[in-house]
Amino acid sequence: MLFGRTQKNPIKIADKGVVEWKYAACGYCSTGCSIEVGLNEAGKPVASRGVADADVNRGKLCLKGIFEHELFDSAGRGIEPLIRDQWHQPWQASDWETTLDRTHDEIKRIQEKYGRDSFAIISTGQMLTEEFYTLGKLTRGLIGTNNYDGNTTLCMASAVSGYKRSFGSDGPPGCYEDFEHTDCLFAWGSNLPEQHPIIYWRMKEAQEKSGFPLVVIDPRVTMLAQNAHKHLAITPGTDVVLMNAMMHVIFDLGLEDRRYIEANTNGIAALEAEVTHYNPVMAAKITGIDEDTIRDVARLYATADASMSIWTMGINQSTHGSDGVVGINNLSLITGNIGKPGGTSLSITGQCNAMGTREWSSCSGLPNHRYLENADDRKEVAKFWGVDEEFFPKKRGMFQTDIYHAIETGEIKGLWLIATNPLSSLPDTARVRKAMESLEFCVVQDCYEDTESAQYANVFLPAGTWAEKEGVMTNTERRVNLVKPVSAPPGQAKPDLWIFNQMAKRFNKDGNVSFPDKAADIFLEMGQLSKGRLADITGMNHELIEKSRGIQWPYTDKQVKNGEAPPSGGKRLYTKDTEFRYADGKAKLIPLPFIDNNEVPDEKFPYWLNTGRLIEHWHGRSKTGKIGDNNKYSPVPFIEINPDAAIELGINRGDYVRLVSRRSDAVVIAMPTQRVSKNSIFLPFHFHDCANRLTLGLLDPHSRQPAYKQSAVRIERIADQQAAAKLSMEMRTF
Ligand code: SF4
């Protein structure tokens, strides 16, 4: 195949012998790219390509998507159920009946001995939505533990919490198309080119056409910051002070939208009173951003016809994560920037289906943003599922981060981990390891049997991955897209849905609760529960979703019947006055007093430790660490360190250094760069037994999300570089 200028230096793409292309949505990040996987004559996946008529990615894929077909036969896949009495014994191969029976019996034993909530379940943002819904029905309706959460608490909990506090419900109001309408973009703690490359491309293309100014707020000179009109290198964890100071300036200059505030919000007086304490002079001292810049960006934001904010982990992973989201929403609301094209607050989600779990898993309540605390919600779902409403708890249980503390105290004795690897992803690895060792029973369900957390399991359930299964996922802009099976799970591995349904049979002995086994049927059941809700999907089905290359919710059957619905669904939430989800239809303006409660650098630990992602890798590298074309670009852990700091410490490019925090230490390679300030370092979090050995992870009081990005460390040059290289190799899993 030839493309580009055919007369000069044509590029030839290797012919992989593809005879058939199969449709899916990408299984890595929340951008939600439509992808096709090419099969050769033998039915083997050999290529991936972007889908040209998909609105999200318009034919493009990033480095992870391009090699996604290599996932299916990557090393370490689980191919048979495994079992053992004690976690430190060797695994024994088993069969599904024995393994599922053992899992059921142990859950029952623990619950009967210690109480229903003594068994915890932690899932993921990586499964398909029908699987989340089924797991929620099994957990809430039959197993009955209230200590059930997803690893999305580690990435999106602050966004969820902030949306709920401001608007009365979770649900991102905006969409990618807003880039094409905005007159001003603020990116808070978000490095799009590396974390969400295709959203970056959408943003950049829109910016090149309209030329809107981009303001990046980030302690590090990220790739996005390098392209910004203004980069505000903020002191870690102080975003709320900047937001308050911006509002101070906006009110001071009378730039707020009084009509919008009156019509759509409550709480203006308390907010105005609070922000009087945050003048730019005092804010400059806390945030490290000079007062004139604060005034400039406040004016820029408030005077643009439509202003848009996006954010990622720089806001969410903080002790002020939820407040940071509320602060962004406050700014949007006082300037009338919710609900109009280009005026929005859009959280850029992390995992491919973090949104699906928020909508349908029942982790934080009941399906489709229903609350356990609401008697009507409990009654409605109990009736629909055919369970006793009294079986439901009356308030949500622990978050993932609290579940681990409850394991330490002995309150929780058993754990089911589904497609998540807390030994790599939770802060303070040593503490997590100790907790895992103390469990009476642990079951790990994953597509890889070689994850660090599986070391502590008594039972391993081999699951299918991504496009070995069928179902939908929701992306950052509420777009529901379809994944179709490209390949069968290897060996005896089974789709997660099959595993949940088999477990349900064991708990559902009288057969009162129905567990359909086809994803398309489950989707229609979910549709019934969505009728009239914010996330109404009654107008969708699998076939239509594939045909449309994804549909944004809400998309109702009534709209379809009346021929009203646009083909791709609801672009924006809250497009009319007073339709927020609080009882009176108004959003809340919430004052945000700032309390400095982070670990901060001191004499003993003088550097800020900032952690984050690289473009080549996905989270704990369970997948991308095994795909050669991803791993070869970033095979080892390293830090970005300021060249002046490196000189002071006698560190050269490529030297091994030891990072020490109050928790533990880690050995990494030093890469001097001006991207970080003299008192901070950046460490990618992907590598096992590395970043999270160091992190403290204090929790946000509302969202319980850890502050991964604000810990203090010291840096020691290692005298014996050869020994350090050996140690570093030993600490690497792959
Ligand atoms: Fe997949 Fe995200 Fe890359 Fe798109 S941007 S190909 S969804 S990893």
Side-chain angles (χ1 to χ4, degrees):
M1 182 193 298
L2 295 174
F3 69 84
R5 289 179 296 173
T6 50
Q7 299 308 310
K8 196 181 170 195
N9 300 330
I11 300 165
K12 193 167 192 313
I13 295 179
D15 183 354
K16 304 250 184 88
V18 173
V19 294
E20 185 186 2
W21 292 96
K22 287 201 171 176
Y23 183 85
C26 175
Y28 285 116
C29 88
S30 69
T31 302
C33 297
S34 289
I35 186 169
E36 282 178 327
V37 177
L39 306 178
N40 67 11
E41 256 182 21
K44 186 177 159 53
V46 290
S48 306
R49 69 180 184 189
V51 176
D53 60 348
D55 184 57
V56 168
N57 52 316
R58 303 169 188 180
K60 294 184 170 48
L61 293 175
C62 81
L63 189 60
K64 289 186 280 291
I66 283 170
F67 298 112
E68 206 160 0
H69 59 279
E70 294 184 21
L71 258 189
F72 300 111
D73 60 359
S74 54
R77 293 294 309 268
I79 54 168
E80 59 188 353
L82 302 171
I83 209 159
R84 59 188 169 192
D85 286 336
Q86 304 290 330
W87 63 263
H88 42 79
Q89 293 172 337
W91 283 116
Q92 305 290 321
S94 184
D95 57 75
W96 276 108
E97 288 299 305
T98 311
T99 317
L100 291 166
D101 284 347
R102 168 93 190 275
T103 304
H104 165 266
D105 294 349
E106 281 294 311
I107 295 173
K108 279 291 206 200
R109 179 188 70 76
I110 286 171
Q111 289 189 311
E112 274 159 23
K113 188 166 172 191
Y114 303 107
R116 257 169 47 177
D117 294 340
S118 62
F119 189 86
I121 299 175
I122 300 173
S123 83
T124 178
Q126 297 288 132
M127 288 193 299
L128 303 168
T129 309
E130 293 85 348
E131 295 171 334
F132 284 129
Y133 173 71
T134 303
L135 174 64
K137 197 196 276 189
L138 170 65
T139 303
R140 293 275 178 224
L142 296 177
I143 297 177
T145 177
N146 197 16
N147 293 325
Y148 163 50
D149 197 18
N151 64 11
T152 39
T153 288
L154 309 181
C155 60
M156 293 318 298
S158 293
V160 173
S161 161
Y163 278 142
K164 282 181 178 170
R165 289 167 70 199
S166 295
F167 305 140
S169 172
D170 184 22
C175 60
Y176 305 155
E177 197 203 74
D178 283 316
F179 293 127
E180 289 157 28
H181 300 281
T182 198
D183 298 297
C184 172
L185 178 66
F186 273 53
W188 304 82
S190 173
N191 183 19
L192 280 183
E194 290 195 80
Q195 267 91 63
H196 298 88
I198 300 298
I199 301 182
Y200 174 67
W201 166 72
R202 288 284 304 266
M203 186 281 283
K204 199 70 194 155
E205 198 173 65
Q207 192 194 30
E208 277 169 11
K209 281 185 193 147
S210 71
F212 61 76
L214 168 65
V215 177
V216 172
I217 302 103
D218 201 305
R220 184 171 159 241
V221 191
T222 60
M223 227 181 265
L224 189 65
Q226 288 167 35
N227 284 297
H229 294 85
K230 270 188 195 295
H231 171 219
L232 279 51
I234 194 165
T235 301
T238 64
D239 306 82
V240 166
V241 177
L242 173 62
M243 293 163 192
N244 282 346
M246 284 175 63
M247 284 186 272
H248 178 106
V249 174
I250 291 168
F251 288 129
D252 216 28
L253 299 177
L255 297 176
E256 72 276 15
D257 184 339
R258 283 284 159 188
R259 189 215 66 83
Y260 186 92
I261 293 169
E262 291 300 315
N264 295 289
T265 69
N266 290 312
I268 182 66
L271 180 69
E272 267 188 289
E274 180 62 33
V275 301
T276 55
H277 306 308
Y278 294 82
N279 66 60
V281 179
M282 76 77 87
K285 291 194 177 96
I286 298 174
T287 61
I289 300 162
D290 71 86
E291 54 180 291
D292 286 341
T293 301
I294 295 175
R295 289 194 185 93
D296 279 355
V297 296
R299 272 194 299 264
L300 182 68
Y301 182 89
T303 55
D305 283 346
S307 284
M308 176 173 181
S309 284
I310 58 168
W311 73 93
T312 318
M313 296 310 137
I315 291 292
N316 290 347
Q317 290 180 338
S318 157
T319 48
H320 305 92
S322 175
D323 279 359
V325 176
V326 170
I328 290 170
N329 294 338
N330 281 344
L331 274 165
S332 300
L333 289 165
I334 65 164
T335 52
N337 275 306
I338 292 289
K340 65 181 179 193
T344 194
S345 77
L346 180 65
S347 68
I348 309 285
T349 313
Q351 300 182 69
C352 55
N353 203 17
M355 285 286 289
T357 190
R358 280 155 71 170
E359 294 151 13
W360 288 103
S361 73
S362 306
C363 276
S364 63
L366 290 165
N368 207 313
H369 305 133
R370 289 177 173 87
Y371 295 101
L372 284 163
E373 292 78 2
N374 182 323
D376 291 340
D377 286 350
R378 291 197 304 272
K379 195 172 176 178
E380 188 188 5
V381 175
K383 191 169 167 221
F384 188 81
W385 283 349
V387 301
D388 179 356
E389 67 181 90
E390 288 305 316
F391 193 66
F392 290 150
K394 295 188 174 52
K395 61 175 188 178
R396 80 162 285 175
M398 294 179 199
F399 290 76
Q400 177 185 10
T401 37
D402 293 309
I403 286 173
Y404 272 85
H405 297 161
I407 296 172
E408 285 178 341
T409 61
E411 199 181 328
I412 287 175
K413 302 285 189 187
L415 182 64
W416 182 0
L417 294 175
I418 302 157
T420 188
N421 185 13
L423 215 48
S424 171
S425 55
L426 280 177
D428 198 352
T429 313
R431 201 170 161 186
V432 178
R433 191 182 298 281
K434 237 176 156 178
M436 295 287 287
E437 285 174 7
S438 72
L439 287 165
E440 283 191 16
F441 178 74
C442 175
V443 50
V444 167
Q445 175 174 329
D446 204 295
C447 57
Y448 290 104
E449 66 180 26
D450 60 356
T451 68
E452 296 79 24
S453 301
Q455 294 167 21
Y456 296 94
N458 305 88
V459 162
F460 174 75
L461 307 176
T465 187
W466 179 50
E468 289 167 353
K469 309 183 290 184
E470 177 161 356
V472 300
M473 298 196 289
T474 310
N475 77 350
T476 284
E477 56 168 1
R478 291 170 282 100
R479 188 181 297 272
V480 181
N481 205 347
L482 187 66
V483 177
K484 291 176 77 171
V486 165
S487 186
Q492 295 176 50
K494 295 284 186 189
D496 295 280
L497 180 62
W498 182 90
I499 299 171
F500 299 142
N501 279 350
Q502 293 302 312
M503 285 298 289
K505 273 185 195 153
R506 285 158 173 81
F507 284 93
N508 188 25
K509 294 233 161 77
D510 54 13
N512 283 347
V513 189
S514 123
F515 280 84
D517 54 14
K518 285 202 176 57
D521 295 340
I522 298 168
F523 187 84
L524 295 178
E525 180 178 317
M526 288 157 48
Q528 291 176 52
L529 261 183
S530 80
K531 203 171 180 59
R533 309 282 310 172
L534 187 66
D536 192 322
I537 55 168
T538 47
M540 302 183 200
N541 58 54
H542 277 197
E543 207 182 323
L544 191 61
I545 291 168
E546 181 185 352
K547 208 168 128 207
S548 312
R549 290 10 190 153
I551 302 174
Q552 285 165 283
W553 64 252
Y555 190 71
T556 69
D557 52 356
K558 198 167 152 217
Q559 286 173 291
V560 175
K561 231 178 270 163
N562 296 343
E564 287 170 15
S568 63
K571 287 190 199 315
R572 293 174 192 88
L573 291 179
Y574 314 129
T575 50
K576 297 190 287 286
D577 277 355
T578 61
E579 61 171 350
F580 294 101
R581 303 306 279 186
Y582 280 112
D584 63 358
K586 292 190 174 186
K588 267 191 191 158
L589 293 168
I590 302 171
L592 303 168
F594 177 72
I595 300 156
D596 196 354
N597 55 4
N598 285 318
E599 183 177 58
V600 294
D602 56 17
E603 263 182 32
K604 229 172 153 194
F605 301 96
Y607 295 89
W608 284 108
L609 168 66
N610 181 7
T611 66
R613 271 205 246 153
L614 300 170
I615 191 168
E616 302 85 11
H617 283 301
W618 182 247
H619 288 190
R621 282 168 76 249
S622 317
K623 292 176 176 174
T624 50
K626 292 157 183 163
I627 295 179
D629 282 317
N630 290 115
N631 198 40
K632 72 183 177 193
Y633 296 112
S634 291
V636 289
F638 66 92
I639 52 164
E640 291 179 354
I641 179 172
N642 184 278
D644 292 340
I647 289 168
E648 274 179 15
L649 294 165
I651 293 167
N652 295 310
R653 175 173 295 273
D655 278 356
Y656 283 96
V657 296
R658 183 166 167 256
L659 306 177
V660 187
S661 77
R662 287 184 179 83
R663 273 66 63 193
S664 188
D665 62 354
V667 174
V668 298
I669 290 174
M671 299 292 287
T673 167
Q674 298 285 358
R675 289 175 77 166
V676 290
S677 63
K678 203 179 160 194
N679 70 341
S680 67
I681 58 169
F682 173 77
L683 171 60
F685 64 51
H686 304 289
F687 302 91
H688 171 55
D689 233 2
C690 192
N692 282 326
R693 287 169 68 90
L694 307 165
T695 48
L696 171 58
L698 291 172
L699 301 180
D700 177 279
H702 298 276
S703 68
R704 313 303 288 157
Q705 183 159 348
Y708 285 104
K709 291 174 174 288
Q710 295 122 39
S711 304
V713 293
R714 69 170 178 266
I715 307 165
E716 298 171 355
R717 185 181 185 277
I718 298 176
D720 186 342
Q721 287 287 304
Q722 274 194 340
K726 192 165 170 277
L727 179 64
S728 172
M729 289 300 286
E730 281 167 9
M731 285 167 75
R732 283 168 51 203
T733 313
F734 327 112

